[in-house]
Amino acid sequence: MTDRVKLVLASASPRRLALLEQIGVEPAALLPTTVDETPERNERPRTLALRLAEAKTRAGAVMAAQDPELANALVLGADTVVAVGRRILPKAETEEEAADCLRLLSGRAHRVQTAICLTTRKGGLRSRLVETRVRFRRLPEKEIEAYLASGEWRGKAGGYAIQGLAGAFVAKLTGSYGAVVGLPLCETANLLAGEGYPLHRGWTARA
């Protein structure tokens, strides 16, 4: 029975898919969802991350239920929020947004809140929130301009992707690197195992 448990990733993120594959998890399907990510008035970064992860998971579950092959699958959703204090930074869509984020983050610490949410076999939801502290070294303006020219910032929370060129900006990281990329692996593995997902089934083939 356990081997029949399937997983649906409610995301189109290649980074989250790669992180799942790193721990031997191959989703049966990817079901990207569209939810309004606008923060509510006075909403805290951690509250926003949890709310959006749960909203994405619920939306993914509705889509999965329409496919007989996925009707009983577990659905995993996630969201990452970058903040300086209580100020939530955008998922940069313009060069100006990304530049503003990088100048704000230059030479200072910030927090990355990553929430994951998983449907349960009984139709409920289980969520986890992981906070990671990241400190950037001071970024010269020429370096910011060069990073903007790379285009890696587009669509990224806080205007940067730590798994790419921006890894050179990080002077210190306390917490989960995977969470900053988009998925905390330890917490994700624990949630999946708790719902009977055969997490270790493919591990022996890697020996």
Side-chain angles (χ1 to χ4, degrees), residues 59-114:
V62 170
M63 296 169 65
Q66 298 171 3
D67 185 338
E69 295 294 320
L70 303 174
N72 296 317
L74 301 174
V75 179
L76 176 68
D79 191 75
T80 300
V81 173
V82 174
V84 175
R86 293 187 60 173
R87 177 178 174 179
I88 296 170
L89 275 59
K91 293 182 178 176
E93 296 298 340
T94 68
E95 205 170 278
E96 183 178 1
E97 280 186 329
D100 287 344
C101 288
L102 293 171
R103 291 180 184 124
L104 177 64
L105 297 176
S106 175
R108 68 189 302 175
H110 61 278
R111 300 189 184 197
V112 180
Q113 309 284 357
T114 298

Side-chain angles (χ1 to χ4, degrees), residues 137-148:
R137 59 176 171 77
R138 187 166 300 281
L139 307 178
E141 190 63 26
K142 286 185 178 181
E143 192 166 11
I144 291 176
E145 292 173 0
Y147 187 71
L148 294 174

